[in-house]
Amino acid sequence: MNRKTTTLGIFYLIAGISVFSVQDLILKLISGGYPLYQAMLIRGFTSIPFLLAFAHFDGGLRTLFSAGVSKMLLRGLVMFIAYFSFYIALAGLPLPTTVALFYSGPLFITLLSVLFLGERVSVTAWAAVVLGFIGVVIMVRPGSDLFDWAAILPILSGLTYAISMITARKMGGTETAAALAFWSTIVFLSGAGLMALYYHDGSHTNTSHASLAFLTRGWITPTPRDLALMMTCGVVAAMGLWLLTQAYRIAAASTVAPFEYLGLIWSVLWGWLFWRDWPDAQGWLGIGIIAGAGLFVLLQESRRSAQSPKAVV
């Protein structure tokens, strides 16, 4: 894998994370008044035309119907679990906390890249991964009065997200980024449609927790402003899915994964600007450890890559 391809993969990753931070902001904004499945349906239908356009310019629409459709659908199901868990968590947790815990994902990616891709990881990088998971534990605060069960959701999201991106890496030689993103969106629409059928009348609404309310609330006719916000999520999702999938298709997973931590900057910024959410001392400690572990892996990767192009940490 040459340096130009790696650099392009990193660029795609940074762009995708920046784009997706806008979607996180919008979903957090609407989570108190609308159900998740409604936002996912509007987002999905809005994104389809953009994904078809991406497919047209990325090998043609025929690339959507390759022999690997079943595998792409299975990967889409994993991505559905990842984003569904993350979105539900957004409603019940501060934005910086949700995003920080989600960033256990790149740690999982590093682990899975060894198990399934055969990429090599140094001892110091393993130490950084362990340290990163310690940061996750600090943020979850198990056993304390501040523990919230919703904190488990972004960790589940991080794990399933890692699996989906590792799968994208394995499928990248035969499938386009547009095809992977398209079939993921089809799965999103299917899952959201099933939830809408069950929850649309509001008879199953559960308001005991903000995350449960976001899941079970009945269908609400959106205002023009809120409809525009949900449709904006569709544009953002199409662009973000393509960018992130492309990043993991063309570059080593353990190389681009540490750049995911740049999303922490966006989450803290949006959280402070819109809700005045500011992590406490323990929260900052967890964020710092998680981000520091990822950045350390990045520095190790750069050093080892300069010495041996075949070595990946």
Side-chain angles (χ1 to χ4, degrees):
M1 185 173 298
N2 60 50
R3 182 172 298 179
K4 182 179 179 180
T5 300
T6 299
T7 301
L8 187 59
I10 291 170
F11 169 79
Y12 283 138
L13 195 288
I14 293 173
I17 290 299
S18 300
V19 167
F20 259 122
S21 75
V22 177
Q23 178 182 244
D24 298 344
L25 169 63
I26 292 174
L27 288 173
K28 179 72 172 175
L29 285 169
I30 67 173
S31 65
Y34 297 93
L36 172 60
Y37 59 81
Q38 184 173 350
M40 291 180 71
L41 282 172
I42 295 173
R43 188 200 87 158
F45 282 118
T46 303
S47 66
I48 288 294
F50 292 92
L51 291 172
L52 290 175
F54 290 154
H56 174 71
F57 292 105
D58 192 14
L61 295 179
R62 66 182 182 278
T63 60
L64 299 178
F65 303 98
S66 70
V69 168
S70 59
K71 292 181 180 179
M72 288 190 282
L73 287 171
L74 183 59
R75 176 181 177 271
L77 178 60
V78 176
M79 287 202 71
F80 175 81
I81 296 172
Y83 285 105
F84 172 80
S85 302
F86 181 80
Y87 297 154
I88 291 297
L90 273 177
L93 298 172
L95 183 58
T97 300
T98 307
V99 174
L101 291 175
F102 170 75
Y103 280 122
S104 58
L107 302 175
F108 286 122
I109 288 173
T110 302
L111 294 174
L112 295 175
S113 67
V114 175
L115 296 175
F116 296 103
L117 300 181
E119 297 178 2
R120 289 183 288 167
V121 176
S122 67
V123 174
T124 49
W126 278 119
V129 169
V130 172
L131 184 62
F133 281 117
I134 291 174
V136 170
V137 173
I138 290 173
M139 292 206 68
V140 172
R141 312 180 194 209
S144 74
D145 293 337
L146 296 177
F147 172 76
D148 190 324
W149 62 265
I152 303 299
L153 293 173
I155 300 174
L156 171 62
S157 178
L159 173 60
T160 47
Y161 174 81
I163 294 172
S164 71
M165 290 306 168
I166 289 295
T167 305
R169 178 77 179 122
K170 294 195 67 150
M171 298 172 67
T174 57
E175 312 297 344
T176 66
L180 290 166
F182 175 82
W183 289 112
S184 292
T185 300
I186 294 300
V187 174
F188 285 8
L189 282 171
S190 301
L194 291 174
M195 287 191 290
L197 288 174
Y198 187 75
Y199 291 118
H200 75 279
D201 62 359
S203 61
H204 302 283
T205 301
N206 185 330
T207 59
S208 62
H209 191 283
S211 291
L212 290 176
F214 193 28
L215 170 64
T216 62
R217 191 177 288 122
W219 183 279
I220 298 172
T221 302
T223 65
R225 169 187 172 274
D226 292 341
L227 177 60
L229 286 174
M230 293 182 204
M231 293 179 70
T232 299
C233 280
V235 179
V236 167
M239 294 176 60
L241 276 173
W242 185 87
L243 287 166
L244 292 179
T245 303
Q246 187 75 339
Y248 283 98
R249 276 185 70 248
I250 68 174
S254 56
T255 300
V256 298
F259 285 93
E260 299 246 6
Y261 292 102
L262 294 174
L264 285 169
I265 298 174
W266 287 111
S267 68
V268 172
L269 176 62
W270 296 140
W272 182 80
L273 286 176
F274 286 86
W275 297 278
R276 289 298 184 266
D277 286 336
W278 194 252
D280 60 15
Q282 188 168 340
W284 276 118
L285 177 62
I287 290 174
I289 291 175
I290 294 172
L295 290 174
F296 181 79
V297 171
L298 170 61
L299 293 174
Q300 289 294 302
E301 158 59 20
S302 299
R303 189 173 304 152
R304 285 172 63 91
S305 295
Q307 297 173 356
S308 174
K310 296 182 180 180
V312 179
V313 296

